[in-house]
Amino acid sequence: MTHQQDMFDERYRRVLKRHRQLSRGYVTKIEKTGVITHRPIRHLREAFSFSALLLPFGVLFFLKASIVTVLGEEGYRQQVDMLRDGGFVEQVGAVFMQMDPITAPLAKLLSYIIG
């Protein structure tokens, strides 16, 4: 009985998901076999969600703060200055790796946690 209920619940969730997708807009197509199908319209906001962008930036800031915690602020600035003196790719890296308003407090928090 439990297996049948699980199968029903899965089918029900798929139907609800499909209904939500189609409620945002759809295109009707006729396949080669003559079957009429409705395909949901793909929106740009579905392809790029805010949470999907937030994770990589959060990891970047955490890694930068970890490096600042290990090297110290002065040592970190020296390393970024060395990047600024390098080639084009290193100069672009220096722009991304410079201290920002998020990294500094996060580094102080990590220094309190690490000790």
Side-chain angles (χ1 to χ4, degrees):
M1 183 73 166
T2 306
H3 179 65
Q4 290 176 343
Q5 184 65 36
D6 291 340
M7 288 174 40
F8 175 79
D9 289 341
E10 180 61 32
R11 283 193 316 269
Y12 182 68
R13 279 192 293 272
R14 281 195 312 246
V15 167
L16 286 179
K17 179 181 176 185
R18 179 84 171 156
H19 177 72
R20 267 187 258 115
Q21 288 173 342
L22 292 175
S23 69
R24 295 183 196 124
Y26 62 90
V27 177
T28 304
K29 300 222 178 202
I30 298 178
E31 296 180 357
K32 290 182 180 182
T33 59
V35 176
I36 299 172
T37 59
H38 304 290
R39 306 251 180 210
I41 296 173
R42 301 290 291 170
H43 296 285
L44 184 63
R45 66 173 180 238
E46 293 173 0
F48 299 106
S49 66
F50 179 70
S51 60
L53 292 175
L54 188 63
L55 182 64
F57 283 114
V59 169
L60 174 69
F61 286 124
F62 181 77
L63 289 175
K64 281 174 55 175
S66 300
I67 294 170
V68 171
T69 303
V70 170
L71 294 177
E73 286 190 30
E74 187 59 36
Y76 184 78
R77 284 195 181 102
Q78 290 174 355
Q79 293 294 323
V80 172
D81 289 338
M82 286 175 48
L83 282 176
R84 283 193 187 112
D85 295 336
F88 177 73
V89 175
E90 284 129 355
Q91 289 175 359
V92 171
V95 169
F96 286 112
M97 294 303 289
Q98 68 186 356
M99 286 292 270
D100 52 51
I102 297 174
T103 304
L106 191 58
K108 288 181 183 176
L109 178 68
L110 281 175
S111 67
Y112 289 132
I113 292 172
I114 294 173

